[in-house]
Amino acid sequence: MDKTALLRRLRLPVVASPMFIASGIDLVVAQCKAGIVGSFPALNARPADQLDRWIGRIEEALAQHDSEHPQAPAAPHAVNLILHKTNDRLESDLATCVRRKVPIVITSVGNPAAVVDAVHGYGGLVFHDVIHQRHARKAAQAGVDGLILVCAGAGGHAGRLSPFALVGEVRDWFQGLILLGGAITTGDHVLAAQALGADLAYMGTRFLATPEAQVQAAYKEAVLAASAEGIVYSDLFSGVHANYLRSSIAAAGYDPDKLPAKGEHAENFGSESMATSKVWRDIWSAGQGVGRIREVLPAADVVTELRRDYASARQRLAPGHS
């Protein structure tokens, strides 16, 4: 699948980001059926031998959808691989993705060169997430098809840079797909991402407040109750800076305003234990776009709302529109 073919298959220019714990089979299938790329971290399929079963179930559900709705086929699905040296599943998970010919592989935290070679071998695409120019250039040199610019305000592991700065700088030299993440919550935001020069919006937090998200009800309620000021950026909990819900940090017994500078958990970053650790179970990740999330809706309804608002924003900004 080439980049042009991917864009043609989307009914909205959005890739749903892979969220630890939250993204599972049901959420991915719902997202893809609705016309956006659905994704999940390979580490969410536990134990490791479940990854093949997860991908198989997604393939079957999407194939059935396509046969029943040939006029509105599903968007491609994606699997996220953590490249960090502590991920002892990487080799086997990559082999599973290659065997299953996963259309898109999203890579994080490391050099994607080996993944690019393997995935390009069967015609798949590789998107790599970055938070600054240095890693973006390294990933481009490795041959990735797309760069995911994870900017300030994104849920989970996120950077500090404004999208107004990073997108333009990367677009100056990168000819592949650019995906933009960082507090993107509405259809207006999706259009704004394109106006900045991105091809696709990268959206995670909005899908936490869906029945399909594999998180407890209290997490979803905390998302609904939060605002941008309720997000705390810290490297205490995983050794890498990430955004978390202030309320969950306080509930776990920490003072959100007096967190130590850095945690001691970096050695677990990318390992399977990360996906089941207390950090991700009890201290909840979310992006600064939470203030625009007001109710729990099925993922399909979320995408419908996004498409409507995206179309409305385009019309509102069209020349001659009053």
Side-chain angles (χ1 to χ4, degrees), residues 201-227:
Y202 195 62
M203 181 182 297
T205 300
R206 181 61 191 91
F207 291 99
L208 287 171
T210 62
E212 296 92 344
Q214 297 180 153
V215 297
Q216 55 189 287
Y219 189 168
K220 299 176 187 183
E221 291 301 320
V223 168
L224 299 183
S227 66

Side-chain angles (χ1 to χ4, degrees), residues 103-142:
I104 302 168
V105 174
I106 297 170
T107 52
S108 309
V109 199
N111 185 345
V115 176
V116 169
D117 289 344
V119 174
H120 283 181
Y122 63 80
L125 300 176
V126 178
F127 300 158
H128 188 71
D129 65 35
V130 299
I131 62 173
H132 46 60
Q133 283 263 17
R134 180 168 59 89
H135 285 162
R137 290 186 180 275
K138 287 184 177 181
Q141 290 170 1

Side-chain angles (χ1 to χ4, degrees), residues 183-209:
I184 296 179
T185 315
T186 69
D188 301 58
H189 295 167
V190 175
L191 183 61
Q194 291 184 305
L196 286 176
D199 300 286
L200 298 161
Y202 195 62
M203 181 182 297
T205 300
R206 181 61 191 91
F207 291 99
L208 287 171

